[in-house]
Amino acid sequence: MSNPDSFIDEVSEEVRKDQLFGYMRKYGWIAVLVVLLAVGGTAFVEYRKAQATQTAQATGDEILAALEIDDDADRAAALSAIEVDGGAGAITGLLAASNLTETGDLDGAVATLNEVALREDAPEIYRDIAALKSAMVADGGLPDTDRRAILDRLAVPGGAFRLLAQEQLALMDIQNGEIERALEQYSAIAQDAEVTGGLRDRAFSMIVALDGDLEALIGGLIGISADGDQ
């Protein structure tokens, strides 16, 4: 019985081999395609990484070369001429605006800052910086209504620059003769839990300059601190 069993096993094994080879002939190209796609995909990713690195290095070299220019106007023009997307583009715009401000071209500085503030490909933090700086250029051709609209947007709770925006709003109130409103802004700034020491000192100084009741404000702050300690 062993010989017939062995013969049957050998035949079954050959049948399985024939079936396996048949599957390989029929579907083997799929495995080859998968391997080629994997290898090709890896090569493409590495190529894109190398391209991105080269582009970043080239952009960095352009920015450094522009920053080495002595003349403010020429430096601003060189920075503005650099074509780059995302955060790098926002940074070159902010640098260009800063140099335009130094030259006295406030209209050009505000226009450049507004371009940065509207860049959808730039991080929000850069767009907010540009918007704040644009509103801070009082003589840059931006109407007071537009400046106040920008500052009101930046002063909302949770904003990264809300206290600085409040400070600018208070300065606008002073310019418009709205002293009580300005005092309210400075008092709110001084009492804010997130205010820095420098900004609080500026708020205190302005309250004194505007004949506000600084002693009452400080007394209130001390009382709040004492309640918190308890």
Side-chain angles (χ1 to χ4, degrees):
M1 292 296 292
S2 60
N3 289 336
D5 290 342
S6 176
F7 175 75
I8 292 173
D9 291 339
E10 290 177 3
V11 171
S12 299
E13 183 66 25
E14 290 300 323
V15 171
R16 283 195 294 269
K17 287 181 179 180
D18 288 341
Q19 289 177 335
L20 177 60
F21 289 140
Y23 289 142
M24 290 180 65
R25 285 192 297 270
K26 187 175 182 179
Y27 302 110
W29 64 272
I30 297 177
V32 174
L33 180 61
V34 170
V35 172
L36 290 175
L37 288 174
V39 173
T42 301
F44 179 74
V45 169
E46 292 301 321
Y47 171 74
R48 291 296 298 271
K49 285 182 179 179
Q51 272 195 325
T53 300
Q54 291 177 352
T55 300
Q57 290 176 343
T59 300
D61 291 340
E62 285 186 88
I63 293 174
L64 290 175
L67 292 175
E68 291 176 356
I69 299 174
D70 292 330
D71 184 76
D72 288 327
D74 292 341
R75 191 185 309 118
L79 288 166
S80 298
I82 299 174
E83 296 182 2
V84 62
D85 297 328
I91 290 173
T92 57
L94 290 170
L95 291 172
S98 176
N99 284 278
L100 288 171
T101 302
E102 292 296 323
T103 66
D105 184 4
L106 301 183
D107 289 342
V110 169
T112 302
L113 290 168
N114 289 339
E115 288 178 4
V116 175
L118 294 174
R119 292 190 67 137
E120 295 183 355
D121 63 342
E124 183 178 5
I125 187 73
Y126 294 148
R127 299 201 304 269
D128 285 349
I129 290 174
L132 178 62
K133 291 177 68 68
S134 173
M136 290 173 66
V137 183
D139 298 323
L142 198 64
D144 283 354
T145 52
D146 292 345
R147 291 179 61 210
R148 185 171 290 278
I150 292 172
L151 293 170
D152 283 337
R153 178 180 67 80
L154 295 174
V156 297
F161 304 106
R162 61 185 181 83
L163 294 178
L164 292 175
Q166 278 185 262
E167 183 182 30
Q168 293 300 313
L169 286 168
L171 290 173
M172 289 189 67
D173 290 335
I174 294 172
Q175 293 171 353
N176 295 327
E178 300 179 9
I179 305 303
E180 289 300 323
R181 186 172 176 178
L183 283 170
E184 291 176 2
Q185 291 276 16
Y186 284 122
S187 296
I189 291 170
Q191 297 177 77
D192 195 284
E194 298 179 359
V195 68
T196 62
L199 182 51
R200 179 182 281 123
D201 289 342
R202 291 202 302 273
F204 284 162
S205 297
M206 293 304 298
I207 290 171
V208 172
L210 297 173
D211 293 328
D213 193 347
L214 182 61
E215 291 185 3
L217 176 61
I218 293 176
L221 290 173
I222 293 174
I224 293 173
S225 176
D227 291 339
D229 292 339
Q230 292 176 1

